[in-house]
Amino acid sequence: MSNKQKQMLAVWGSPGAGKTVTAVKLAAELAKRKKNVVLVFTDLTAPPLPAVAAEGKLPEVSVGELLSAPGMTQEQVLKTCVPCEKHPYISFLGYKAGENVFTYAEYSKEKAVDMLVLLRHIADYVIVDCTSVLTGNVLATAALEVADDVLRVCGCDLKAISYFASYLPLIEDRKFKPEQHIRVLSNTRPYPGGMEYENSFGGVKYRLPYLPIVEEQAATLKLLEPLAGKEAKSYEPVITAIAAEVFGDGK
Ligand SMILES: Nc1ncnc2c1ncn2[C@@H]1O[C@H](COP(=O)(O)OP(=O)(O)O)[C@@H](O)[C@H]1O
Ligand SMILES: [Mg+2]
């Protein structure tokens, strides 16, 4: 498959590493190409949508309804995508504020795969923000399996090392192609010893620095906005490079 045909990226990694932040930044980068991007939030423990989009009103649709209903049509998927008010090329698919693991009936993996396949017909690009813990999250697990690429976000902390030591054996199965994951070290700080983290993750291709401005954006509902100032130079080109590796240059 050539880069140009790639369309779906799953973002997965250690807890708190910056999976959601990176997924949002990649969506904003792809939207610059004036192509439609659907950002899927799979987290049902702390649904990210209310923390990412400063929408005037909270969405009335939820991916949970879609996954637990008997059938699924392209139209239903479309109706469940929430257009981003400020960014015309971005829409979101996720759980509503206040929902939790008991809100909907369990659904099959086939159902999750059906939804991801329908999304491929609807959107030019799909980014799936996965949860660290895949157990009990069928949608995130399905995305890890069917996405064209997986970005493995490795936090620069000891917890991340512990997490991967425990979790990687669970996705050893060939269907997950873990050896093909694109590894990014996230939240890098200017401490000595950064290389030790890289080595412990088996080497990384990209490094996203810890930036107070990114933290501020995350806390103030501004993640979809570009970064200002010279700090941006250490961050945005990395996002652009990841987008180019996965989705081609968009031309
Ligand atoms: N590159 C970064 N620079 C500064 N802070 C970051 C960066 N990436 C993530 N963060 C901070 O870490 C928090 C957790 O990130 P998030 O993307 O929600 O993690 P995850 O989805 O992996 O659990 C964010 O709210 C933000 O404050
Ligand atoms: Mg997250």
Side-chain angles (χ1 to χ4, degrees), residues 25-232:
K25 288 294 182 195
L26 282 165
E29 169 70 25
L30 292 168
K32 286 190 207 159
R33 302 179 179 186
K34 301 199 190 311
K35 297 225 175 128
N36 292 314
V37 188
V38 176
L39 179 53
V40 184
F41 292 119
T42 62
D43 191 356
L44 192 44
T45 306
L49 189 49
V52 165
E55 304 291 325
K57 54 177 174 29
L58 288 171
E60 281 158 21
V61 285
S62 165
V63 74
E65 283 155 32
L66 200 56
L67 291 166
S68 56
M72 195 188 301
T73 62
Q74 192 162 318
E75 200 192 343
Q76 284 169 318
V77 179
L78 256 176
K79 276 192 184 154
T80 313
C81 291
V82 181
C84 178
E85 282 188 351
K86 290 193 186 146
H87 302 265
Y89 291 100
I90 300 177
S91 25
F92 307 106
L93 192 58
Y95 291 95
K96 287 187 276 194
E99 294 185 331
N100 61 43
V101 284
F102 298 114
T103 309
Y104 299 101
E106 282 179 32
Y107 56 93
S108 64
K109 194 183 92 186
E110 289 68 35
K111 195 85 189 200
V113 171
D114 284 351
M115 192 193 86
L116 295 171
V117 169
L118 286 170
L119 271 177
R120 283 189 190 268
H121 293 288
I122 291 169
D124 295 307
Y125 300 118
V126 180
I127 295 187
V128 187
D129 176 27
C130 297
T131 42
S132 296
V133 177
L134 300 164
T135 339
N137 196 324
V138 178
L139 179 57
T141 309
L144 218 59
E145 206 180 311
V146 306
D148 301 315
D149 271 319
V150 174
L151 186 70
R152 187 189 298 171
V153 184
C154 308
C156 232
D157 50 51
L158 292 168
K159 192 174 168 184
I161 294 177
S162 186
Y163 168 76
F164 287 116
S166 288
Y167 226 90
L168 281 174
L170 302 182
I171 59 155
E172 243 168 14
D173 196 295
R174 269 185 52 213
K175 67 185 181 202
F176 292 113
K177 302 188 271 312
E179 70 290 346
Q180 287 177 28
H181 288 185
I182 301 166
R183 294 189 289 259
V184 56
L185 190 66
S186 174
N187 272 322
T188 64
R189 292 169 197 251
Y191 303 150
M195 275 314 283
E196 285 167 34
Y197 277 104
E198 295 193 12
N199 294 339
S200 80
F201 298 129
V204 299
K205 186 152 188 192
Y206 299 101
R207 289 161 202 86
L208 281 167
Y210 164 81
L211 293 184
I213 181 76
V214 173
E215 196 170 40
E216 186 181 326
Q217 281 190 332
T220 56
L221 283 167
K222 291 198 171 120
L223 276 175
L224 281 164
E225 293 181 14
L227 291 170
K230 61 174 193 278
E231 282 180 305

